[in-house]
């Protein structure tokens, strides 16, 4: 697997000379660099180590004026070549560069003691001891030290072997299906157009198809990929890569932009982090401080909002919300570095815990809750991020879940399956044990959120039954509103009710919802009214009972609607009702009188039913509407 090695160390300690000795390439590409003998911007080279492993080098400037360029280059390295001049020893930029590597969590490294041909053995031993002491309690503690003298080639082979050994201890870089290339250089190549370079991470990139440049959101097409001077059909993570782009001008891309696949990444203006203030920092990290944040190859001003402390004192860490002046493309658990823009020095850094935090945190209770959520994220790590995202929000649209949980959209189904997350089926859940995560049609839920929403909907329906037992149930829209907590997606209530109805826990009765065992219950007055109406219907036979007659019996509009729901009354025409039994008997009489679809006139039907024209015409029109009869001009026949 490829790896990227970044240099670090004080100015003029021999970083570029070592890279040239290792690779045969002078990484100083600018005329000003060659004229001044000073690395100003990033330099790049590559070689094959003794093991046959290909590595890319990012050579960074050591001068304090160009630390921002150094930070743009080391963000994607997984191994450091830390350089200390044996004749000068530990120097100020040695301190700052080591702090930066430690804040970035660079996991491996080798120390090259340069210019050893200019010192005696005692001096070399003294410098080596000091360097080893300085490395203690950093990610480079215990790194191998190799004495070198680049012009003569002394120690160059041993240095290459030591780099090989350091890289042997690193795991293969992960391919999560979400490629990301922080752009550290942009240029125009004659005959090709715009070319951007960077260190690829997070996934593979193919030499065809569409890409997106964030934060601007510009779309471009990949014309070709090149790494270590060779074209590639596909580039894998942890590789230095040049990407030839079509559809975007060189002037439209700047260092700090990020090349990604469309729809997989989103820039953010806020991020919750665990930040550490360096022990040697001149002052605590405070809300009123002026800071620059560095992530990948990007830089932006930021305002700090401590979440679990008033300030972050030197040598301590705390949870902090970063309010970014310029949106950045951040990954969860990505390292960032913080510099004091007034003093122009590195003062701290740490890890991004949530690149898409919830809205503003208010009050002590809000800060405590957010602190607990972020601490739980730290403990869960990337493997438990999916569950943590849901635990913090309760409900998340499936379309948003890949972004929030740092999962490639195409990997979401597998991530849910690998977490043993059953899907909702007819309101129930597969599996004997309730899952931690539940998915509905368009949403993902924590089990607790799902159960609370379902309980809220069912509870609202049950309360309606208690308040008005004669009603058919609760309007479905009211039940949906009850199931949706504040801040939840609009679809939440709909999908809860859909699942409860599909699973039989609620029953849809027209526009209303009821529990399966609910039946309309009448109080004594309602039962007496029903008896009076049924007696009147028996007396009327096939004769309409109107609103006035019902009112005389004591039935107002609400009571009439209840009797319709109970099936006692059948609305035949506006303000006119038949009894259910009378209607059924009328249809049966017509079928006996006009068998086998024989047509009949209205007068024949009136004679067969023994009713009046006032009842017959509305009755026949009702039978037409309900499909019992079919009208053919002045005649009808039974369907």
């Amino acid at each position: 697997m490829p790896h990227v090695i970044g240099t670090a160390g004080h100015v003029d300690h021999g970083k570029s000379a070592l890279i040239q000795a290792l690779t045969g390439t002078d990484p100083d590409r600018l005329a000003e660099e060659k004229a001044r003998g000073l690395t100003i911007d990033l330099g790049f080279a590559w070689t094959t180590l003794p093991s046959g492993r290909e590595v890319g080098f990012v050579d960074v400037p050591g001068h304090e004026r160009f630390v921002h360029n150094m930070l743009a280059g080391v963000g994607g390295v997984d191994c450091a070549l830390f350089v200390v001049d044996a004749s000068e020893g530990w120097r100020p930029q040695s301190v700052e560069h080591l702090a930066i590597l430690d804040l970035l969590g660079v996991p491996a490294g080798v120390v090259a003691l340069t210019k050893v041909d200019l010192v005696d053995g005692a001096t070399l031993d003294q410098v080596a001891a000091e360097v080893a002491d300085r490395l203690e309690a950093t990610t480079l503690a215990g790194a191998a030290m190799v004495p070198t003298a680049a012009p003569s080639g002394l120690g160059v082979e041993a240095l290459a072997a030591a780099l090989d050994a350091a890289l042997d201890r690193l795991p293969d870089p992960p391919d999560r299906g979400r490629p990301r290339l922080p752009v550290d250089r942009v240029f125009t190549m004659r005959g090709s157009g715009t070319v951007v370079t960077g260190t690829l991470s997070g996934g593979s990139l193919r030499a065809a198809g569409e890409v997106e440049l964030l934060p601007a959101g510009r779309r471009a097409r990949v014309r070709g990929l090149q790494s270590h001077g060779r074209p590639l059909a596909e580039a894998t993570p942890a590789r230095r890569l040049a990407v030839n782009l079509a559809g975007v001008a060189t002037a439209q891309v700047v260092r700090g932009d990020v090349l990604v696949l469309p729809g997989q990444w989103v820039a953010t203006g806020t991020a919750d982090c665990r930040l550490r203030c360096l022990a040697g920092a001149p002052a605590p990290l405070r809300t009123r401080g002026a800071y620059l944040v560095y992530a990948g190859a990007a830089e932006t001003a930021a305002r700090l909002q401590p979440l679990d402390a008033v300030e972050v004192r030197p040598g301590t860490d705390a949870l902090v919300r970063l309010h970014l002046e310029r949106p950045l493309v951040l990954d969860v658990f990505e390292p960032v570095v913080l510099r004091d823009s007034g003093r122009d020095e590195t003062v701290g850094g740490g890890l991004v815990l949530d690149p898409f935090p919830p809205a503003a945190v208010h009050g002590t209770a809000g800060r405590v809750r957010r602190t607990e959520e972020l601490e739980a994220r730290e403990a869960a790590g990337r493997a438990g991020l999916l569950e943590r995202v849901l635990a913090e929000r309760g409900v998340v649209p499936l379309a948003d879940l890949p972004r929030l949980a740092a999962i490639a959209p195409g990997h979401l189904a597998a991530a849910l399956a690998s977490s043993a997350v059953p899907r909702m089926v007819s309101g129930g859940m597969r599996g004997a044990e309730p899952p931690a995560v539940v998915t509905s049609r368009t949403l993902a839920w924590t089990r607790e959120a799902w159960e609370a929403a379902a309980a809220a909907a069912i509870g609202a329906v049950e309360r309606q039954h208690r308040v008005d037992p004669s009603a058919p149930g609760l309007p479905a829209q009211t039940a949906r509103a009850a199931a949706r907590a504040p801040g939840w997606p609009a679809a939440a209530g709909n999908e809860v009710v859909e699942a409860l109805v599909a699973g039989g826990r609620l029953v849809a009765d027209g526009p209303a919802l009821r529990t399966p065992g609910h039946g309309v219950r009448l109080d004594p007055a309602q039962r007496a009214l029903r008896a009076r109406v049924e007696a009147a219907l028996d007396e009327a036979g096939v004769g309409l009972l109107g609103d006035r007659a019902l009112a005389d019996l004591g039935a107002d509009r609400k009571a009439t609607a209840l009797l319709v729901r109970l099936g006692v009354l059948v609305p035949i025409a506006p303000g006119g009702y038949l009894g259910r039994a009378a209607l059924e008997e009328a249809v049966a009489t017509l079928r006996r009188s006009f068998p086998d679809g024989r047509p009949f006139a209205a007068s024949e039907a009136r004679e067969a039913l023994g009713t009046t024209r006032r009842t017959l015409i509305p009755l026949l029109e009702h039978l037409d509407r309900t499909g019992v009869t079919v009208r053919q001009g002045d005649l009808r026949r039974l369907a």
Side-chain angles (χ1 to χ4, degrees), residues 222-245:
V222 176
R223 297 177 63 178
L225 303 176
Q226 191 177 95
S227 181
H228 301 168
R230 297 191 306 274
L232 296 175
E234 182 176 10
T236 53
R239 180 184 289 276
R240 285 295 306 172
L241 190 63
V243 185
N244 183 199
L245 297 175

Side-chain angles (χ1 to χ4, degrees), residues 327-358:
L328 298 180
V329 181
L330 299 175
D331 196 6
V332 68
F333 305 121
E334 174 179 0
V336 295
V337 173
L338 200 68
R339 303 197 84 225
D340 187 309
S341 58
R343 294 186 172 92
D344 197 23
E345 62 179 296
T346 302
V347 292
L351 290 179
V352 174
L353 299 179
D354 189 352
F356 303 102

Side-chain angles (χ1 to χ4, degrees), residues 131-315:
V131 171
D133 183 61
R134 296 276 191 169
L135 296 183
E136 284 299 320
T138 74
T139 57
L140 298 187
M145 291 190 199
V146 182
T148 66
S152 65
L154 174 65
V156 173
E157 289 186 3
L159 181 59
L163 290 170
D164 244 342
L167 293 173
D168 281 340
R169 295 190 289 272
L170 294 179
D172 289 340
D175 187 336
R176 299 189 177 96
R178 299 176 79 219
R180 181 176 64 150
L181 185 94
V183 175
D184 53 33
R185 187 182 174 208
V186 187
F187 58 93
T188 300
M189 182 175 290
R190 181 173 295 178
S192 296
T194 302
V195 177
V196 300
T197 71
T199 300
L200 183 65
S201 66
S204 298
L205 191 65
R206 294 179 177 84
E210 193 177 32
V211 291
E212 186 176 16
L213 285 160
L214 297 175
R218 291 188 178 91
R219 296 292 180 99
R221 181 173 53 84
V222 176
R223 297 177 63 178
L225 303 176
Q226 191 177 95
S227 181
H228 301 168
R230 297 191 306 274
L232 296 175
E234 182 176 10
T236 53
R239 180 184 289 276
R240 285 295 306 172
L241 190 63
V243 185
N244 183 199
L245 297 175
V248 62
T250 303
Q252 293 178 304
V253 190
V254 297
R255 174 179 286 177
D257 284 351
V258 181
L259 186 146
V260 298
L261 294 183
Q264 287 200 345
W265 295 82
V266 178
T268 181
T270 57
D272 287 350
C273 308
R274 169 76 70 181
L275 291 187
R276 169 162 57 100
C277 184
L278 293 177
L285 304 180
R286 297 189 175 104
T287 301
R288 293 187 176 183
Y291 303 103
L292 293 173
V293 171
Y294 294 82
E299 165 194 323
T300 187
R303 178 174 62 83
L304 274 56
Q305 179 190 357
L307 297 174
D308 62 348
V310 175
E311 60 184 18
V312 189
R313 297 186 303 277

Side-chain angles (χ1 to χ4, degrees), residues 36-50:
R36 297 172 60 181
L38 175 72
T39 300
I40 297 172
D41 204 351
L42 302 177
F44 308 101
W46 61 87
T47 192
T48 301
L49 295 178

Side-chain angles (χ1 to χ4, degrees), residues 360-398:
V361 175
H362 298 292
T364 301
R367 288 194 297 273
V368 169
R369 181 173 61 254
R370 187 58 183 154
T371 295
E372 291 173 347
E373 291 173 348
L374 293 172
E375 289 173 344
R377 275 184 175 240
E378 290 179 290
R382 187 179 286 272
L385 184 59
L386 177 65
E387 287 78 8
R388 289 311 314 159
V389 166
L390 286 166
E392 292 164 11
R393 290 164 170 79
V395 186
V396 177
L398 289 170

Side-chain angles (χ1 to χ4, degrees), residues 457-554:
I458 294 171
V461 173
E462 291 174 338
R463 282 193 299 277
Q464 174 67 13
H465 291 340
R466 291 193 296 272
V467 170
D468 189 358
S470 65
L474 183 71
Q477 188 59 39
T478 305
R480 295 185 190 106
R484 180 176 172 240
W488 283 9
N494 296 344
E495 295 187 16
V496 168
V497 169
E498 285 175 10
L500 292 174
V501 171
R505 299 176 68 185
L506 290 177
V507 177
D509 191 351
L513 296 172
R514 61 176 175 82
T515 57
H518 174 70
V520 175
R521 295 190 296 276
L522 305 182
D523 59 30
Q526 289 170 328
R527 288 196 295 271
L529 172 63
R530 176 174 181 169
R532 292 195 299 274
V533 170
E534 287 177 335
L537 290 171
D538 288 342
E539 183 178 346
V542 184
L544 290 184
L545 207 61
D547 286 334
R548 182 181 294 276
L550 290 170
D552 291 342
L553 294 170

